Amino acid sequence: MPETASIHRWQTHPVTPENFEDFADVINPTRRDTHCWCLSHRLGVKDIEELGGGNRETAMRRLCERENPPGVITYRDGEPVGWCSIGPRAEIPRLAASKLIRPVDEVPVWSIICVVVRSGHRRQGVMAHLLEGAVEYAASRGAPAIEAHPVDPPGRMDTTMAFVGTRAMFEQAGFRAIGTTDAVASRMPRLIMRRDL
């Protein structure tokens, strides 16, 4: 566990209808209607119309009612500080159908598609707890392995694409690089990193 474990009390929980506002506080504190609500890989326009009457927030709330909620929230001392969108690859339609990020084998992996640390809490050890909590959540649901598709920047990451994560942060969480994709973020190739469970 990170060094800050002894200083702070950390918890990670799946997003549910009961803690949805905590999720929103991390990814969309001003509650902008046009915000992505972390749906771009999970739902198309037609699905958002069916689930949420065209409202992205409502559609995300409905996803949180499913058997496998679409991600986890990390709390530090009771305050929501991080979000990780994670789920079975087969349940993430845009990823499952991707021609740029193809499966490397038949393992029914769970995939991390987005990581967010709440503004004002970055560079404080949140990511280590967030990724470990996401791994524990996936393991509790029977995931055999988890994959992520970060980049390996030479310096600081462009904040507009930071949601994909970096090789270093995933290596620190026990992931190993097993290949590359045809996808790019900030003009850098996205890797395939895996942690077997």
Side-chain angles (χ1 to χ4, degrees):
M1 265 303 179
E3 292 176 12
T4 55
S6 61
I7 300 169
H8 296 289
R9 183 171 162 262
W10 298 86
Q11 292 183 315
T12 299
H13 300 289
V15 62
T16 64
E18 291 73 29
N19 64 7
F20 186 88
E21 291 302 320
D22 294 341
F23 156 73
D25 285 345
V26 174
I27 70 147
N28 189 7
T30 60
R31 306 301 195 268
R32 288 179 294 135
D33 287 340
T34 56
H35 191 75
C36 75
W37 287 101
C38 220
L39 288 177
S40 61
H41 283 77
R42 294 183 183 274
L43 298 178
V45 174
K46 181 180 158 209
D47 301 313
I48 292 170
E49 188 60 45
E50 288 176 9
L51 266 183
N55 182 283
R56 300 177 74 82
E57 178 182 351
T58 303
M60 184 59 166
R61 285 180 183 274
R62 296 289 304 280
L63 282 185
C64 295
E65 298 169 359
R66 294 187 173 175
E67 180 182 354
N68 289 322
V72 295
I73 307 160
T74 289
Y75 297 82
R76 180 175 58 194
D77 302 328
E79 182 179 6
V81 293
W83 160 251
C84 178
S85 179
I86 183 173
R89 181 184 170 107
E91 293 180 15
I92 304 171
R94 188 166 159 201
L95 185 57
S98 177
K99 303 290 189 225
L100 300 177
I101 302 176
R102 294 180 294 279
V104 294
D105 53 33
E106 299 300 315
V107 176
V109 298
W110 278 46
S111 297
I112 292 174
I113 54 177
C114 179
V115 289
V116 176
V117 174
R118 188 176 184 178
S119 180
H121 299 273
R122 295 177 185 138
R123 302 177 68 87
Q124 298 175 28
V126 173
M127 189 60 66
H129 293 280
L130 178 61
L131 291 178
E132 197 56 40
V135 167
E136 289 172 8
Y137 165 62
S140 76
R141 301 295 173 110
I146 302 170
E147 284 185 357
H149 307 101
V151 294
D152 191 10
R156 297 267 325 208
M157 181 69 178
D158 174 2
T159 55
T160 61
M161 295 304 293
F163 73 91
V164 304
T166 66
R167 178 179 185 146
M169 78 171 52
F170 282 100
E171 283 180 340
Q172 289 170 5
F175 288 70
R176 72 192 197 299
I178 61 170
T180 58
T181 74
D182 292 325
V184 296
S186 295
R187 297 186 297 280
M188 291 177 283
R190 294 181 67 178
L191 307 172
I192 302 172
M193 297 191 71
R194 180 179 287 183
R195 179 166 161 179
D196 295 309
L197 301 176

